[in-house]
Amino acid sequence: MKTRIYKILKHTKVEGPGKRYCIWFQGCSRHCEGCWAKATWDFNGGTLYDTKEIVNDILLQKGIEGVTFLGGEPFEQPESLEYIAKEVKKAGLSIICFTGNQIEEIEYKYKNILKYIDILIDGEYQENKKNYSRPWVGSSNQKYHFLTNRYNEEEIKKYKNKIEVNIEKNGMIFINGMGDFEKISEMLNMPQSH
Ligand code: SF4
């Protein structure tokens, strides 16, 4: 099985609790106004990875608390998402997943995947509800759903929104985390990459 991926970060501390392996799926049909991840929209973009190799790579990482799935839209590649989530959960790692869908739609179509997810963060980014006061999310309509006992609402309050700036081997800058990307890009005098 192949999975189309926009970006993988093997270690990040700004996309959920603890140190995490982070996967941005490629492809999103929603096209929300103000989306800062437009580069993830194209279903023919990104890079095709062997899905088993992604899992093997995750399991090789030392000291990670879990995996975070973002996009793009992870549920637009449901077979890959289910396979990776299942294998990661077997290894005792936690799973955070972002989706532009509402949880009711996911429950209806993808119950088989939901059972592996510890926190589902649902709802598309809405520019007119921009709000960075809660961890990892950018607009006030987005909701955290604690689907297992691993995390809870009280516990995640200790996390603040932060960004990381990664300088790639090819000299490109990749910014991740949550914050006002427009302002950050202006400050760094660079085009937005997230
Ligand atoms: S669902 Fe997320 S990735 Fe897709 S367009 Fe909306 S904000 Fe962008």
Side-chain angles (χ1 to χ4, degrees), residues 90-121:
K90 255 196 239 165
L93 297 169
S94 70
I95 298 180
I96 313 291
C97 184
F98 287 77
T99 176
N101 298 290
Q102 299 298 309
I103 191 168
E104 293 77 11
E105 299 165 67
I106 302 289
E107 275 172 340
Y108 180 67
K109 285 190 191 158
Y110 302 117
K111 241 187 173 132
N112 55 321
I113 303 177
L114 224 44
K115 65 185 178 194
Y116 301 118
I117 296 174
D118 295 291
I119 309 178
L120 182 83
I121 300 177

Side-chain angles (χ1 to χ4, degrees), residues 34-36 38 125 127 130 132 175 179-192 194:
C35 172
W36 51 81
K38 290 193 174 76
Y125 173 73
E127 178 77 346
K130 184 158 76 172
Y132 300 123
I175 301 175
D180 192 332
F181 288 104
E182 224 169 293
K183 279 197 187 139
I184 293 160
S185 299
E186 269 172 32
M187 273 163 55
L188 294 173
N189 195 21
M190 55 172 281
Q192 281 179 253
H194 181 120

Side-chain angles (χ1 to χ4, degrees), residues 16-129:
K19 194 199 283 186
R20 312 190 68 79
Y21 192 102
C22 199
I23 302 174
W24 282 263
F25 282 72
Q26 180 73 35
C28 182
S29 51
R30 290 190 168 263
H31 298 190
C32 307
E33 196 186 333
C35 172
W36 51 81
K38 290 193 174 76
T40 67
W41 288 1
D42 182 359
F43 286 92
N44 296 310
T47 306
L48 271 180
Y49 284 71
D50 183 281
T51 313
K52 272 192 184 165
E53 282 178 16
I54 297 174
V55 170
N56 291 342
D57 192 47
I58 293 169
L59 301 183
L60 278 176
Q61 306 306 316
K62 304 272 181 240
I64 55 169
E65 179 164 334
V67 177
T68 299
F69 300 113
L70 310 98
E73 175 53 63
F75 285 92
E76 303 242 25
Q77 297 184 73
E79 292 84 10
S80 295
L81 181 61
E82 181 179 11
Y83 178 79
I84 300 170
K86 184 178 171 189
E87 296 303 315
V88 162
K89 215 54 204 283
K90 255 196 239 165
L93 297 169
S94 70
I95 298 180
I96 313 291
C97 184
F98 287 77
T99 176
N101 298 290
Q102 299 298 309
I103 191 168
E104 293 77 11
E105 299 165 67
I106 302 289
E107 275 172 340
Y108 180 67
K109 285 190 191 158
Y110 302 117
K111 241 187 173 132
N112 55 321
I113 303 177
L114 224 44
K115 65 185 178 194
Y116 301 118
I117 296 174
D118 295 291
I119 309 178
L120 182 83
I121 300 177
D122 75 346
E124 59 193 16
Y125 173 73
Q126 293 181 9
E127 178 77 346
N128 59 355
K129 294 188 177 155

Side-chain angles (χ1 to χ4, degrees), residues 13-18 20 36 68 70 96 98 119 121 131-139 142 144 146 151-153 155-162 177-179 181 194:
K13 288 186 172 171
V14 298
E15 303 286 2
R20 312 190 68 79
W36 51 81
T68 299
L70 310 98
I96 313 291
F98 287 77
I119 309 178
I121 300 177
N131 183 316
Y132 300 123
S133 64
R134 299 176 302 152
W136 320 309
V137 300
S139 66
Q142 294 174 291
Y144 309 88
F146 299 93
Y151 302 109
N152 58 59
E153 195 150 10
E155 188 192 346
I156 67 158
K157 283 184 185 158
K158 69 182 181 204
Y159 294 97
K160 303 278 175 240
N161 270 337
K162 288 185 181 163
M178 184 51 67
F181 288 104
H194 181 120

